[in-house]
Amino acid sequence: MRVVLAGLVVLGAVGLIAAQEPDRSRPPALGPAPALNLPDIARATLSNGLPVWLVEQHEVPLVQVNLVVRAGSAADPADQFGIASLTAAMLDEGAGGRSALELADAVEFLGAELGTASTFDFASVRLSTPVARLGDALPLMADVVMRPAFNGDELERLRKERLTSLLQARDNPNAIAGAAFPRLVFGATHRYGTSPLGTAAVLERLGVEQLQRFHARYYRPDNAVLIVVGDVTAASAMPLLERTFGVWKAAGAPPAAPEVPTAAQRTAREVFLLDKPGAAQSQIRIGWVGVARHTPDFAALDLLNTILGGSFTSRLNTNLREKNGYAYGAGSTFDMRAAAGPFFAYAGVQTDKTAEALREFFVELDGIRRPVGEEEFRKARNYIVLGYPSEFETSRDLAQKLEQQFVYNLPDDYYETYTRRIEQVTIADLERAAERYIRPDRFAVVVVGDRSVIEPGIRALNLGPLTVVPLDDVFR
């Protein structure tokens, strides 16, 4: 770690020089951040209670319409992991009396794009269209949201695709590591311990009726928001929205917000080895249960992780890629969700350098818990602050930011004031965040690679107890 002296004091006639300790309670000076002046959100409600958030952007004649539903994988029942993701994927596979191909043709004819997405915390249907075609495109979107066909043949096709993906994942070290780490950190019964795709056993038994019931329960106007960003006004857009989405009705009380319990935190370091004979690389994941999206330490962790592994010039990437050449790239991330998601550092490294790479991982993970130098601190802040406006360049970018604002109940000025919060983070704040959220002595160390080659070197590091994990335990 580079140490920067904040000042020098000359003592006595002999010229003895002593370092003055930097004041880590105050952030080093940083030039003014570029202004981020976002247009106001105009809020309205359709006759059925569906809230509408509308933002005018008149630079180009396009409009982005996103329907966000609190129906992510967190809503999966314990015996149906994967149903939320599969339901979202089926929405545009035929709707409103059109087959999947007919729907795709109708969207393409308008020069529009229509798709669905699903995360742990929400699902969305997203429409991008020329503003002149908005009146024609909205009914297609409304059909996808309200009247999906859930065609049996399309379901079988998607089922086979997902089962094939799960089967192929067992042959891919990167995919194995991606499945193994959350399973070993959160456990098989916790929702975050299994991919949003679910398991093969669940996928094989999910049918049209289950998807229809899930859709009826969660896809309703009192569990959603309609976000509109683009070359429109409330006067021009609201009648179109009312005509297409105002007829959307829901029976009974709305579903309770899905609750994912915070997983038990790890208390000791342990190594988990998954054998992939002949693997050219070892895939490494190191971490534990992280934090939820609503953490008050979000800005400090954003800055801390930028230094550790969140940028190309981060410590992890500089060490493993630039300095030692063990990996094409290395990094770290806090995957923040409604409940505490994982924190992990990661890389794919040369098989014959697995032990050496693990040693360097812990050099950096231990090192980030010591004070950060002012130059490195300033560089990381500039990286975030100066690059932040680029995250709002298009109507699509802004609409997806508003998705996050809705789902995580962020205040209206959250994005405009975010760089200010980054500027207020101090070196002392980073020290406190690292001490609390990065504890290498308690991390799970997951390595997927050729056991016959890498196990002796890993054991020699004495990182902790080593367990060989069968693949079936990960994908069960």
Side-chain angles (χ1 to χ4, degrees), residues 416-429:
E416 289 184 304
T417 61
Y418 185 66
T419 56
R420 192 183 314 157
R421 289 193 295 279
I422 287 291
E423 291 170 341
Q424 292 169 348
V425 174
T426 66
I427 292 175
D429 292 332

Side-chain angles (χ1 to χ4, degrees), residues 6 48 57 80 111 129 199 261 270 275 327 335 341 371 439:
N48 59 355
Q57 283 191 326
Q80 291 184 336
T129 181
T199 65
E270 189 173 359
D275 188 21
D335 186 356
R439 296 293 300 272

Side-chain angles (χ1 to χ4, degrees), residues 171-238:
D171 225 22
N172 183 324
N174 187 42
I176 294 170
F181 180 81
R183 175 60 60 91
L184 294 166
V185 168
F186 290 93
T189 60
H190 193 281
R191 185 62 196 91
Y192 292 169
T194 300
S195 160
L197 293 181
T199 65
V202 171
L203 283 171
E204 286 171 347
R205 69 171 184 262
L206 284 178
V208 167
E209 289 185 1
Q210 287 102 320
L211 300 187
Q212 289 173 330
R213 284 197 295 269
F214 185 90
H215 178 267
R217 177 170 174 75
Y218 288 100
Y219 285 76
R220 43 191 291 159
D222 52 7
N223 194 41
V225 67
L226 199 56
I227 296 169
V228 183
V229 180
D231 189 19
V232 292
T233 64
S236 64
M238 288 301 295

Side-chain angles (χ1 to χ4, degrees), residues 4 9 24 66 68-69 76 91 109 137-138 181 206 214 218 244 263 266 340 349-350 353 358 366 386 426 435 439:
V4 178
V9 179
R24 295 190 175 91
N66 292 11
V68 183
V69 185
D76 287 348
L91 294 179
F109 177 77
L138 279 176
F181 180 81
L206 284 178
F214 185 90
Y218 288 100
T244 51
R266 297 188 54 79
V349 305
Q350 293 174 222
K353 299 296 183 182
L358 284 170
D366 289 326
L386 298 179
T426 66
E435 174 64 26
R439 296 293 300 272

Side-chain angles (χ1 to χ4, degrees), residues 27 33 60 68 111 135 210 240 280 282 314 324 342 354 372 400 417 430 438 445:
V60 292
V68 183
Q210 287 102 320
L240 298 177
S282 295
S314 68
N324 288 300
T354 301
V372 173
Q400 292 189 25
T417 61
L430 297 193
I438 299 181
V445 182

Side-chain angles (χ1 to χ4, degrees), residues 230-279:
D231 189 19
V232 292
T233 64
S236 64
M238 288 301 295
L240 298 177
L241 299 175
E242 177 64 37
R243 188 158 60 242
T244 51
F245 285 95
V247 297
W248 191 14
K249 306 296 182 184
E259 291 188 10
V260 177
T262 298
Q265 188 56 282
R266 297 188 54 79
T267 58
R269 187 160 62 201
E270 189 173 359
V271 181
F272 301 95
L273 178 58
L274 292 92
D275 188 21
K276 196 71 186 75

Side-chain angles (χ1 to χ4, degrees), residues 203-464:
L203 283 171
E204 286 171 347
R205 69 171 184 262
L206 284 178
V208 167
E209 289 185 1
Q210 287 102 320
L211 300 187
Q212 289 173 330
R213 284 197 295 269
F214 185 90
H215 178 267
R217 177 170 174 75
Y218 288 100
Y219 285 76
R220 43 191 291 159
D222 52 7
N223 194 41
V225 67
L226 199 56
I227 296 169
V228 183
V229 180
D231 189 19
V232 292
T233 64
S236 64
M238 288 301 295
L240 298 177
L241 299 175
E242 177 64 37
R243 188 158 60 242
T244 51
F245 285 95
V247 297
W248 191 14
K249 306 296 182 184
E259 291 188 10
V260 177
T262 298
Q265 188 56 282
R266 297 188 54 79
T267 58
R269 187 160 62 201
E270 189 173 359
V271 181
F272 301 95
L273 178 58
L274 292 92
D275 188 21
K276 196 71 186 75
Q281 284 189 326
S282 295
Q283 289 291 332
I284 297 172
R285 305 289 186 272
I286 303 172
W288 66 346
V289 178
V291 294
R293 179 61 180 82
H294 58 73
T295 174
D297 294 320
F298 186 94
L301 290 175
D302 189 5
L303 189 48
L304 182 72
N305 191 64
T306 297
I307 295 170
L308 175 62
S311 66
F312 186 81
T313 57
S314 68
R315 293 183 183 184
L316 283 170
N317 198 59
T318 297
N319 185 329
L320 275 83
R321 174 190 164 98
E322 302 299 318
K323 177 183 175 183
N324 288 300
Y326 297 154
Y328 288 115
S332 61
T333 186
F334 284 90
D335 186 356
M336 299 183 190
R337 306 167 185 166
F343 163 77
F344 59 97
Y346 59 88
V349 305
Q350 293 174 222
T351 294
D352 61 346
K353 299 296 183 182
T354 301
E356 291 88 341
L358 284 170
R359 183 177 61 243
E360 296 305 318
F361 262 110
F362 281 97
V363 166
E364 303 303 344
L365 290 168
D366 289 326
I368 198 66
R369 289 161 51 81
R370 295 188 288 273
V372 173
E374 290 191 5
E375 181 179 342
E376 186 179 29
F377 181 80
R378 204 159 26 235
K379 180 181 176 182
R381 281 205 309 185
N382 275 331
Y383 178 87
I384 295 174
V385 170
L386 298 179
Y388 194 64
S390 67
E391 299 180 22
F392 299 83
E393 287 184 341
T394 69
S395 298
R396 183 173 303 182
D397 293 337
L398 180 53
Q400 292 189 25
K401 289 290 188 182
L402 294 179
E403 290 180 351
Q404 303 283 321
Q405 182 174 333
F406 170 75
V407 171
Y408 300 118
N409 299 311
L410 305 178
D412 280 355
D413 66 349
Y414 181 85
Y415 296 119
E416 289 184 304
T417 61
Y418 185 66
T419 56
R420 192 183 314 157
R421 289 193 295 279
I422 287 291
E423 291 170 341
Q424 292 169 348
V425 174
T426 66
I427 292 175
D429 292 332
L430 297 193
E431 291 181 56
R432 285 191 292 270
E435 174 64 26
R436 180 174 181 181
Y437 300 113
I438 299 181
R439 296 293 300 272
D441 59 325
R442 300 183 183 182
F443 283 171
V445 182
V446 178
V447 185
V448 181
D450 190 330
R451 179 185 177 188
S452 65
V453 177
I454 66 178
E455 183 174 5
I458 295 175
R459 288 191 180 275
L461 293 174
N462 292 316
L463 295 174

